[in-house]
Amino acid sequence: PGPGEILVRNDFTGLNFIDTYHRSGLYATKLPFTLGVEGAGQVMSRGDGVPDDKFSVGERVCYYGTGSYAEYTVVPMTQAVGV
């Protein structure tokens, strides 16, 4: 992950109507594009600038951001919360 980002191993992925819109082409996306706009899993690593008191490796988090259908997703720390 880059500065201010965490790498999440996805354990759960939400399925939303917007995912079907992206997949059908109703909402155009720039390719390549990985579906999924929300997920939950474990923090695997942290980028520079992530404070020591936030998102330790192994912590469970949920997040809003693209790419949650992938096995791993890089997420800005501002879009994640511990669970």
Side-chain angles (χ1 to χ4, degrees):
E5 297 175 328
I6 57 175
L7 176 65
V8 178
R9 185 190 71 214
N10 294 313
D11 295 323
F12 301 97
T13 298
L15 176 60
N16 298 284
F17 272 105
I18 196 165
D19 297 316
T20 63
Y21 298 157
H22 287 146
R23 194 172 90 196
S24 72
L26 183 62
Y27 287 7
T29 60
K30 185 177 176 183
L31 299 176
F33 181 79
T34 303
L35 294 171
V37 296
E38 64 183 18
Q42 287 187 300
V43 175
M44 302 309 291
S45 64
R46 306 165 353 126
D48 292 336
V50 176
D52 289 337
D53 63 341
K54 287 198 174 245
F55 307 119
S56 58
V57 172
E59 182 178 352
R60 293 191 177 276
V61 296
C62 62
Y63 66 90
Y64 179 82
T66 59
S68 66
Y69 281 24
E71 186 175 359
Y72 293 88
T73 304
V74 174
V75 180
M77 70 176 185
T78 57
Q79 292 177 222
V81 63
V83 294

